[in-house]
Amino acid sequence: MKKIITTLVSAFLGLALLGVLAVYFIFNASLPKLSDSLTSSSISDPLIVARDNLGTAIIQANSRADAAYGLGYAHGQDRFFQMDLLRRNAAGELAEIFGEKALELDKSRRFHQLRKRAMMILDTLPAADKTLLDKYAQGVNDALAAQAVASFEYLLTQSSPTPWHPSDSLLVIYSMYLDLQSNTINRDLALTVLQQHFGQHMVDFIIQPSPYQAALDGSELPLESIEIPQIAAKDLQQANITDIADIAEIGSNNWAVSGTLTKSGKGMLSDDMHLSFAVPIIWYRAQLNYQTSAQQEVQVTGVSLPGAPAIVVGSNNHLAWGFTNAYIDTADWVRLTDEQTQVVEEVINTPDGEHIYPLEVSTYGPVVDIAGGKYALNWVAHQPYAVDMSLMQLEQIKTVSDAVTQASRFGVPVQNLVLADKSGDIGWTLAGAILNRTTPQNSAITAQEVDPYVWQQRAASSPSLINPESHRIWTANSRVVSTQQHQALGDGGYALGARAVQIRAGLMAKDKFDEDDFYELQLDNQAQFLLPWHQYLSKVLRDNTQQADQDFAKDLKQLKEWQGCACSESVGYTLTRYFRTEMINIVFAPLETTLAEQGLSLSVLKRYLEPAIWQMIDQQPQSWLPKQYQSWDDLVLGAYIQSKQKLLDKYSDNNQLTDLTWGRVNALTIQHPFSKSMPVLAKLLDMPVRAGFGDSFMPAVQGKSFGASQRFIVQPGLEKNAIMTIPGGQSGHPLSDFYRSGFNDYINHRKTPLLPSQSIHEIRFTPAQ
């Protein structure tokens, strides 16, 4: 029997080994070939697509069209599945790969009918832009055709890649609209429900201006003392205290100083875009080298978005640029009464067959049913001018003033564009699709208040600022425009201005800057915003140590040693941060419960609640006191005890405060989408988990799977000193040498150079005869 068992075990292990070897062979066979000599009928002149030791794609071409082909080929080799997900995300076609579990997400995307819009816009683009999209798509598809085996994602999902179409690049831009402006849409809908249920007074109280304001002109919205609204006893009794989710503050930091404040006399720019993290990371390092039609040499280095033929953020040796999300108001919900609607059937394909999604539409936009009423969405992304390829003009512009002139016509989600040039000039402007409207609203309007002409026309000009007297420019997703401009542009979900205030203070603290100074400011994790909360919590615990028959000595020790930063080893920061969160969960539970009944959440408004929660703490209104608490003192202490216990239950096996270090609670966890459903693949696919550093409301933004998706610093003309650090590698293939390239630099705060190093791989293309 023993011999039989031994034989069976040996046979099983042999089969297992063969299986592992087979899987490895298939994985290895799907690696793209990075050194080769090829011919192509899609290019006009010889072309080189090279890679350096990070996997940076270095394109050497004789024209912009050939460069687009080369970048498409590189994207297709390294990132096609990511590109596929981006286009499918916008079009509502993920269920074709992932089945019924993706149906609800697809329905939410089909609501906007973005594939149809992309096809219509493609037909209206200038001929030169169509050519670039065609060449890019040909490069992508040639890279796909050259693969002997489809990438592992398709093998695991038992699906097949479909060719790239020029309109898919427009869908990639639409995917960014969904990331950057969805909270604007949900914000106005949530405010509409709150207005209907609690009245306008509640809306005014919730979104009142905070003292954290850092507009470029120094103007401030007045801080009004808004009386705390009464809460009906029924609403208080029915309130269900839950965790109000933290919405990732999609956005960025960027700033610039003029040549007056640099040793070289050149302007200097910093940009770090805050986005959700996944494997692969969203950005792709690239350098394009080509000639213009006037035989001028162009070299532009930065990051591209796989799926589009542009350098999104970078420098062309004369001009550098970076973006942050502008958060002006770009949407209106229209309350319908007797207006006619119709139903359009959207067909969603899955591996098991077709699903019909009945979409109700009106002349004002697609329609939802909320609180017994019908509401149509007017959104700038639905307009024909929302998407185009004009962003690529930045590659050849040499001055700040020329860039500001062109930026108002860009077909992208409206951004704060910050610029610096070789001559020392700096500038800011709103770049992207801004609608021609001067009366924005925070909640739904009636159909009679809609002016269709306003939505059909984009704004003729954008606010801008060139070379301010301070020689400094900064943006961080809070209000940048003046109070007067704010009245016309509206609030689409501005970030609390604490981060912008801290950045401004850092810029005002010095008279000369270099790249190291900017990098230090990018990594500033000082907890200035939480300082009042830390002081308040410390006082609460000192006052209650004996009165509540509690011993908070260990808690107070950790608070005393908190270091005043979102530092990895700080326990006091964790206790303070989660105490604030629990206070908001408890106090605003009646509002969250009301919104949850309509499938909405207060999470999209959570960033506004700082003034309101402090008013509650100061005035302790009896009508807001939950039934389970005897007094506000009881509520505050209960909030701390509950928040601490939640943390201990999740992060400590022995109920020890010392286990609650911020680095552990906020550990950076960058996962591949597949490892979430197949944990066995985590070690192969995910980035290593690292201690957390940074948080919200400070320059060093970092959550568990969110943060600075790149750190970019450059003086145009001194690119040899420039920095581009990214938390992930170039390739989406786990066996590639470039799968994790750059991650260690990012996590250890080392400065990865912007410029590529010597090529180690080259694909040489020659035109087919």
Side-chain angles (χ1 to χ4, degrees):
M1 177 64 70
K2 183 177 180 181
K3 185 177 180 180
I4 294 174
I5 293 175
T6 301
T7 301
L8 289 173
V9 169
S10 298
F12 175 79
L13 291 175
L15 289 173
L17 179 60
L18 286 174
V20 170
L21 290 173
V23 170
Y24 178 82
F25 174 79
I26 293 172
F27 266 45
N28 196 62
S30 65
L31 275 168
K33 196 172 182 180
L34 302 183
S35 294
D36 209 346
S37 294
L38 302 172
T39 60
S40 173
S41 60
S42 299
I43 59 175
S44 302
D45 296 294
L47 167 73
I48 298 175
V49 176
R51 268 47 169 232
D52 72 351
N53 62 358
L54 285 174
T56 305
I58 308 162
I59 314 298
Q60 299 281 351
N62 284 345
S63 68
R64 185 58 179 89
D66 284 357
Y69 175 90
L71 185 60
Y73 198 93
H75 283 167
Q77 285 190 306
D78 291 332
R79 297 290 191 90
F80 185 79
F81 188 74
Q82 176 195 8
M83 297 162 57
D84 197 5
L85 293 187
L86 284 173
R87 65 175 171 178
R88 289 179 180 277
N89 173 61
E93 296 168 356
L94 289 167
E96 288 186 17
I97 293 179
F98 299 108
E100 293 195 12
K101 59 187 176 184
L103 267 178
E104 291 307 311
L105 179 58
D106 275 0
K107 289 177 183 179
S108 72
R109 300 320 196 206
R110 290 294 181 97
F111 181 76
H112 302 290
Q113 298 181 299
L114 296 178
R115 180 167 286 285
K116 294 178 182 178
R117 299 182 195 279
M119 293 298 292
M120 288 188 291
I121 288 175
L122 181 65
D123 289 338
T124 68
L125 290 179
D129 289 350
K130 287 183 182 179
T131 297
L132 288 179
L133 291 178
D134 284 340
K135 294 294 185 182
Y136 177 82
Q138 290 163 9
V140 173
N141 292 328
D142 284 354
L144 276 184
Q147 282 188 285
V149 178
S151 62
F152 78 96
E153 298 97 338
Y154 294 103
L155 298 176
L156 289 176
T157 56
Q158 298 182 351
S159 58
S160 300
T162 56
W164 194 260
H165 188 272
S167 63
D168 292 337
S169 292
L170 303 182
L171 283 171
V172 168
I173 302 175
Y174 275 130
S175 203
M176 297 307 296
Y177 265 100
L178 293 168
D179 275 353
L180 298 174
Q181 294 188 5
S182 287
N183 286 344
T184 296
I185 296 170
N186 294 330
R187 168 192 181 273
D188 285 10
L189 204 54
L191 288 173
T192 296
V193 172
L194 292 179
Q195 181 193 53
Q196 290 178 347
H197 190 91
F198 296 101
Q200 185 60 39
H201 185 186
M202 180 67 76
V203 171
D204 295 340
F205 175 67
I206 290 300
I207 63 172
Q208 62 181 297
S210 85
Y212 297 101
Q213 300 185 46
L216 289 176
D217 72 338
S219 62
E220 294 190 357
L221 297 170
L223 303 180
E224 302 174 7
S225 180
I226 298 178
E227 184 179 352
I228 299 174
Q230 294 283 316
I231 285 285
K234 179 181 178 182
D235 290 323
L236 194 65
Q237 291 169 1
Q238 294 178 348
N240 181 27
I241 298 174
T242 58
D243 291 333
I244 302 171
D246 284 322
I247 294 294
E249 199 165 272
I250 301 293
S252 314
N253 300 325
N254 62 6
W255 59 83
V257 297
S258 73
T260 304
L261 303 183
T262 64
K263 183 178 180 180
S264 68
K266 305 177 189 301
M268 186 160 61
L269 171 79
S270 171
D271 186 80
D272 53 289
M273 296 180 282
H274 306 153
L275 296 168
S276 296
F277 288 165
V279 178
I281 208 69
I282 187 170
W283 304 117
Y284 184 88
R285 304 174 72 98
Q287 182 184 81
L288 306 183
N289 299 272
Y290 62 90
Q291 289 183 338
T292 68
S293 56
Q295 301 301 303
Q296 293 181 333
E297 299 288 340
V298 175
Q299 181 183 82
V300 56
T301 313
V303 291
S304 59
L305 175 61
I311 298 297
V312 178
V313 165
S315 175
N316 63 18
N317 303 329
H318 301 274
L319 176 76
W321 61 92
F323 295 101
T324 72
N325 200 27
Y327 281 111
I328 66 169
D329 192 1
T330 56
D332 276 339
W333 285 97
V334 182
R335 186 168 59 253
L336 304 180
T337 51
D338 299 325
E339 291 76 21
Q340 290 186 345
T341 65
Q342 60 179 326
V343 174
V344 176
E345 290 188 345
E346 289 284 325
V347 179
I348 301 177
N349 294 311
T350 74
D352 299 324
E354 294 182 349
H355 289 258
I356 304 300
Y357 167 47
L359 171 62
E360 189 173 8
V361 297
S362 71
T363 57
Y364 305 96
V367 178
V368 296
D369 290 312
I370 293 289
K374 292 184 181 295
Y375 295 86
L377 176 62
N378 247 337
W379 183 25
V380 71
H382 295 164
Q383 303 305 316
Y385 54 80
V387 171
D388 61 32
M389 303 310 299
S390 55
L391 173 66
M392 292 192 296
Q393 294 173 7
L394 287 173
E395 294 176 8
Q396 298 178 29
I397 294 175
K398 295 184 177 181
T399 67
V400 165
S401 59
D402 285 348
V404 166
T405 300
Q406 295 297 324
S408 64
R409 312 307 301 172
F410 291 173
V412 297
V414 61
Q415 301 286 293
N416 292 304
L417 171 62
V418 171
L419 303 141
D421 68 25
K422 189 175 182 178
S423 68
D425 293 338
I426 58 173
W428 158 85
T429 189
L430 290 182
I434 304 174
L435 58 102
N436 185 31
R437 180 184 58 176
T438 57
T439 55
Q441 301 294 325
N442 287 315
S443 52
I445 61 176
T446 65
Q448 290 71 36
E449 295 175 286
V450 177
D451 183 350
Y453 181 78
V454 164
W455 284 92
Q456 295 166 9
Q457 302 295 319
R458 69 184 302 159
S461 61
S462 301
S464 62
L465 177 65
I466 296 177
N467 292 334
E469 291 183 7
S470 69
H471 306 290
R472 299 163 175 87
I473 285 173
W474 59 88
T475 84
N477 308 125
S478 57
R479 178 179 62 86
V480 177
V481 301
S482 69
T483 53
Q484 183 177 2
Q485 292 164 338
H486 174 70
Q487 299 304 314
L489 295 170
D491 182 349
Y494 280 134
L496 184 71
R499 179 158 44 94
V501 168
Q502 196 161 331
I503 290 169
R504 180 181 62 184
L507 290 173
M508 295 300 176
K510 300 189 68 172
D511 293 327
K512 288 290 181 181
F513 296 89
D514 59 20
E515 288 84 358
D516 289 344
D517 296 320
F518 271 25
Y519 206 71
E520 183 179 350
L521 184 50
Q522 286 187 357
L523 297 175
D524 177 10
N525 66 347
Q526 296 302 300
Q528 295 179 16
F529 168 75
L530 277 186
L531 182 59
W533 285 97
H534 173 266
Q535 294 170 340
Y536 178 59
L537 176 59
S538 298
K539 181 179 185 303
V540 166
L541 297 189
R542 285 195 300 268
D543 292 347
N544 283 280
T545 294
Q546 294 179 344
Q547 297 177 20
D549 195 26
Q550 294 274 354
D551 182 7
F552 294 117
K554 293 181 179 178
D555 309 62
L556 287 166
K557 179 178 184 295
Q558 294 294 343
L559 288 171
K560 184 178 181 181
E561 297 172 356
W562 83 310
Q563 300 176 262
C565 62
C567 297
S568 296
E569 62 274 19
S570 177
V571 173
Y573 183 88
T574 305
L575 298 176
T576 303
R577 205 260 198 196
Y578 277 80
F579 166 64
R580 174 184 180 270
T581 297
E582 193 66 16
M583 284 290 295
I584 290 174
N585 289 340
I586 294 171
V587 172
F588 294 103
L591 277 62
E592 176 69 3
T593 301
T594 298
L595 290 171
E597 292 172 355
Q598 304 301 327
L600 301 170
S601 173
L602 196 62
S603 57
V604 293
L605 301 169
K606 197 172 181 180
R607 64 188 65 178
Y608 292 92
L609 298 179
E610 189 68 5
I613 188 63
W614 278 111
Q615 276 186 257
M616 296 286 195
I617 290 170
D618 292 341
Q619 299 181 31
Q620 302 185 357
Q622 194 64 29
S623 74
W624 285 75
L625 184 66
K627 55 183 179 296
Q628 59 267 50
Y629 296 105
Q630 298 300 313
S631 67
W632 271 84
D633 289 344
D634 186 27
L635 183 158
V636 172
L637 188 61
Y640 173 70
I641 293 172
Q642 289 173 43
S643 65
K644 182 175 73 170
Q645 195 57 53
K646 286 181 181 179
L647 287 165
L648 290 169
D649 290 344
K650 188 171 183 178
Y651 297 104
S652 177
D653 295 330
N654 303 309
N655 222 40
Q656 296 295 313
L657 276 181
T658 51
D659 290 335
L660 304 183
T661 61
W662 184 241
R664 182 176 185 182
V665 171
N666 194 43
L668 183 62
T669 308
I670 307 180
Q671 293 181 274
H672 192 284
F674 285 10
S675 74
K676 296 177 182 179
S677 56
M678 292 177 278
V680 68
L681 297 177
K683 189 172 182 179
L684 173 67
L685 298 181
D686 295 350
M687 294 295 119
V689 176
R690 291 293 181 264
F693 176 93
D695 192 16
S696 304
F697 310 128
M698 59 183 59
V701 170
Q702 192 237 292
K704 294 181 179 180
S705 58
F706 181 84
S709 58
Q710 43 68 249
R711 294 192 173 111
F712 175 48
I713 300 168
V714 64
Q715 298 183 60
L718 285 178
E719 280 74 13
K720 64 181 181 180
N721 299 329
I723 299 163
M724 180 67 82
T725 308
I726 298 176
Q730 284 284 94
S731 174
H733 197 297
L735 298 185
S736 169
D737 293 339
F738 307 129
Y739 189 69
R740 293 184 172 87
S741 58
F743 177 78
N744 284 334
D745 277 3
Y746 180 92
I747 206 66
N748 292 308
H749 302 159
R750 294 194 295 260
K751 306 174 184 72
T752 309
L754 167 69
L755 292 181
S757 59
Q758 185 69 32
S759 299
I760 59 175
H761 296 287
E762 284 189 355
I763 303 175
R764 291 181 172 270
F765 295 86
T766 56
Q769 294 299 320

